[in-house]
Amino acid sequence: MPVARLDKYFESALNSILAQTFCEFELIVLANGCSDTEYSELLKVCSIDKRVILKRLVVCGLMFALNYGIEISRADIIARMDCDDLSFNKRFSLQYDFLKKNKHVDVVGGRIRLIDADGKNLDKSFKYYESHAEIIKVLPYRNPLCHPALMMRKSALLKVWGYRYGLMSEDHEMFIRMMYAGVKFHNISDEILEYRRHPSQITDISKSYDHFCEVSSFLLMYFLKYKELKFLVGAGAIYPPIRKLRNLLLGTKLYIYKLFNLC
């Protein structure tokens, strides 16, 4: 769990992991560029449970923090978590059991519930794709895997040398490399995480042009490498005006649906 700043969400996110019904784990909290004051506060919060390992990083950057976490982890299975989301207490049990029963699967996610800054449910949803075939079909167009909700075999991460670029969608780029390396994906049908949407996160819609520049760059790179047009389509789909129009149409569709239900 990387944390760049101590905010009102961190303690709740931490406690949602400590409350897991599957309790045999180490939680590596990566203090990624925190100030001295924030680090002192983190020490106090993280000292409540001996399973929490707090590491302060001198070199900043999410990609570096994630790779460092992979390097020092002692388990052969690694779960991701962000410091502003909430994991349901059976998340680890469900994902761990699935990986144990399905040796051919390397990365497992699940259904996601979207919440706002205050923890209220949003009308929007994180589109669900279950099987490996469904996931890799849309991977060049969109990211069908919710990064902080994943549990992965460490061997799969090492197979592609972890995270490579300091992009907004460093996870999406890595999943594409995983796909070509033969890594197998799956999303279980259970809800396992509440994914928080708020203005300060890097995936906020207000940063859509930054998002477009960074994501389209690696999609173009893979188009040139593999000569597959679907990567160009994916880059075009996140062009901000197109994205805005798509959201508008989706909102209109949702409004009409609610209106007919009320009638």
Side-chain angles (χ1 to χ4, degrees), residues 15-124:
N15 288 334
S16 76
I17 296 298
L18 297 180
Q20 292 294 306
T21 55
F22 180 95
C23 56
E24 294 180 25
F25 61 84
E26 60 179 8
L27 171 55
I28 302 173
V29 177
L30 301 154
N32 182 27
C34 292
S35 66
D36 290 342
T37 301
E38 287 176 319
Y39 183 69
S40 295
E41 290 299 317
L42 281 172
L43 279 172
K44 294 176 185 177
V45 176
C46 292
S47 63
I48 62 174
D49 195 300
K50 63 181 181 181
R51 292 173 296 178
V52 182
I53 301 168
L54 178 62
K55 295 287 185 179
R56 189 176 190 183
L57 306 183
V58 177
V59 180
C60 299
L62 179 59
M63 180 198 71
F64 173 80
L66 294 176
N67 283 335
Y68 180 74
I70 294 168
E71 177 65 24
I72 66 172
S73 62
R74 293 177 293 172
D76 59 355
I77 291 177
I78 296 175
R80 268 286 286 117
M81 180 63 179
D82 279 344
C83 60
D84 53 359
D85 299 325
L86 297 169
S87 286
F88 295 131
N89 65 348
K90 290 185 178 180
R91 174 195 161 184
F92 282 5
S93 293
L94 291 167
Q95 292 179 303
Y96 185 79
D97 287 346
F98 183 87
L99 287 176
K100 286 298 181 183
K101 293 174 183 176
N102 297 272
K103 302 293 185 180
H104 66 287
V105 175
D106 304 292
V107 179
V108 60
R111 290 188 184 273
I112 306 304
R113 185 185 302 171
L114 297 181
I115 58 175
D116 65 13
D118 300 316
K120 297 178 181 177
N121 292 339
L122 294 173
D123 289 332
K124 294 180 179 180

Side-chain angles (χ1 to χ4, degrees), residues 3 18-19 21 24 34 36 42 51 106 151 159 171-172 176 185 205 214 218 223 232:
V3 51
L18 297 180
T21 55
E24 294 180 25
C34 292
D36 290 342
L42 281 172
R51 292 173 296 178
D106 304 292
M151 184 175 281
K159 187 176 185 178
D171 55 333
H172 190 183
I176 292 173
F185 305 100
I205 190 66
E214 295 193 353
F218 70 73
F223 164 69
L232 283 184

